[in-house]
Amino acid sequence: MSNVGTPRSGLLFGLTAYTLWGVFPLYFMQMEFASAVEIVANRIIWALALCVLILAVTRHLSDLRRILADRRQLGYLVIAAVFISLNWTGYVYATNNGQVLQASLGYFINPLITVLLAVIILRERLRVQQWVAVSLALVAVICIGVAYGHPPWLSLLLAFSFGFYGLAKKFAGRHTGAVQSLAIETLLLTPIALLVLLWLGSKGQTHFTSDGLTSTLLLISTGLATTVPLASFAAAARRLPLSTLGMLQYIAPTMQFIIAVAVVHEAMSPLRWIGFVLIWIALGIFTADALLASHRGRRAARHEAEREALEAMTQEVH
């Protein structure tokens, strides 16, 4: 029997997505010949090209017309496009300028930032354990900021931009496929990306062919590097419980942290270690609380189903 649609295949898709995102620093380091802005501009254009190809092959191009005709959905995807472009630019800049630790920190604190944004914007209420986790994260960011001599701006940019991106996608609705959504977002950003490349070209600062075939293929491959993990993540999200997906999300920043320390050899002062340890403790509390809440929710749903079944049987008897 095929495993397509099973939790096992979902786990494989999830591991694929987060592992690819985890090794992104090593990938983007191969493009140090280009600026972050040029890399992101190429990423936008080639991701759009690949998304359109995928939708054409799967006969879903008409989905784009439906989304573009929905003003509300399109409006939220415009906002999503702005925030994902900021996120991509900040991430590429961090990895190509020896700031992989900041990139790692950004994605470690992102789940906590997302919860905080839910409180501020969606008026959700936090449980005590969640407040403890967020408070520890704030202390950790302060510690790391003191170690740097300034706030970890890149980490905060990555965490907040991805948090707002997630909120925009939430408001846009869940009926838009991952490839369709990425196609619209990159379509909206493509005019700006083309203008950026034209401007860089006028100054002689484009690097599409600077290293011959190597630079050309690397910049083209950004489309594949963008689309494959995103599609894998979407496939995992359809097959896995949210609690499992939440646990997997720490794979990427953990791999980035290891790359920062073992490959890039970024300095880890005692205060930076304290900051990261506090973040890990906060994430441990946050994850344990999420798992417990999920268990309680399933148990409550099961009890409710049993109660309804008992009431139905009682009515039949009478």
Side-chain angles (χ1 to χ4, degrees):
M1 182 179 293
S2 173
N3 282 332
V4 175
T6 65
R8 182 179 298 178
S9 64
L11 186 61
L12 182 60
F13 280 121
L15 289 171
T16 298
Y18 284 110
T19 301
L20 288 173
W21 281 326
V23 298
F24 262 16
L26 298 176
Y27 169 69
F28 284 115
M29 284 175 198
Q30 306 307 309
M31 286 177 269
E32 289 179 336
F33 54 81
S35 66
V37 173
E38 182 182 0
I39 294 170
V40 171
N42 274 278
R43 187 177 185 180
I44 290 166
I45 292 167
W46 295 111
L48 173 61
L50 184 57
C51 285
V52 169
L53 178 62
I54 292 170
L55 293 174
V57 170
T58 57
R59 298 182 180 179
H60 282 92
L61 268 178
S62 60
D63 292 351
L64 300 186
R65 286 199 302 271
R66 173 182 56 79
I67 297 167
L68 290 169
D70 186 332
R71 290 188 178 181
R72 181 181 179 277
Q73 194 173 25
L74 182 60
Y76 284 121
L77 289 179
V78 168
I79 297 170
V82 170
F83 281 112
I84 199 60
S85 64
L86 289 173
N87 183 271
W88 286 352
T89 304
Y91 185 83
V92 175
Y93 178 84
T95 56
N96 283 8
N97 287 273
Q99 299 291 323
V100 181
L101 272 178
Q102 285 217 52
S104 170
L105 175 63
Y107 288 109
F108 270 130
I109 65 175
N110 172 249
L112 302 173
I113 294 296
T114 299
V115 168
L116 193 59
L117 290 176
V119 172
I120 297 170
I121 297 174
L122 303 180
R123 304 296 182 185
E124 293 184 7
R125 295 171 65 92
L126 290 191
R127 295 182 290 275
V128 173
Q129 293 89 337
Q130 290 175 314
W131 275 118
V132 171
V134 170
S135 300
L136 280 174
L138 177 60
V139 174
V141 169
I142 292 171
C143 288
I144 292 171
V146 171
Y148 274 112
H150 57 78
W153 295 118
L154 282 172
S155 300
L156 295 173
L157 170 65
L158 294 174
F160 275 98
S161 61
F162 204 72
F164 278 113
Y165 174 71
L167 276 177
K169 296 291 285 286
K170 178 181 176 67
F171 284 122
R174 298 180 178 178
H175 302 297
T176 305
V179 177
Q180 289 91 332
S181 179
L182 182 61
I184 293 294
E185 291 160 25
T186 50
L187 177 64
L188 294 168
L189 292 169
T190 290
I192 300 172
L194 289 171
L195 287 174
V196 166
L197 291 178
L198 287 172
W199 179 71
L200 290 173
S202 69
K203 293 180 171 294
Q205 296 177 4
T206 51
H207 301 82
F208 193 71
T209 57
S210 61
D211 289 343
L213 187 60
T214 300
S215 59
T216 303
L217 291 177
L218 278 170
L219 289 171
I220 290 175
S221 72
T222 56
L224 195 64
T226 300
T227 308
V228 170
L230 184 70
S232 298
F233 171 79
R238 288 194 298 268
R239 293 164 170 81
L240 290 175
L242 192 60
S243 57
T244 305
L245 204 61
M247 294 290 287
L248 291 177
Q249 71 181 319
Y250 302 127
I251 292 173
T254 299
M255 292 178 67
Q256 292 163 10
F257 178 84
I258 293 169
I259 290 170
V261 175
V263 179
V264 183
H265 302 296
E266 289 190 51
M268 281 296 291
S269 65
L271 203 51
R272 286 190 188 182
W273 274 114
I274 290 172
F276 271 95
V277 169
L278 286 174
I279 285 291
W280 296 330
I281 293 171
L283 289 174
I285 294 171
F286 176 79
T287 303
D289 175 71
L291 291 173
L292 186 60
S294 176
H295 175 70
R296 286 173 178 166
R298 288 196 302 271
R299 186 169 59 185
R302 187 169 61 250
H303 287 167
E304 179 64 20
E306 290 173 352
R307 184 185 65 78
E308 290 177 356
L310 184 60
E311 287 180 355
M313 290 174 62
T314 303
Q315 289 173 0
E316 289 178 3
V317 169
H318 292 288

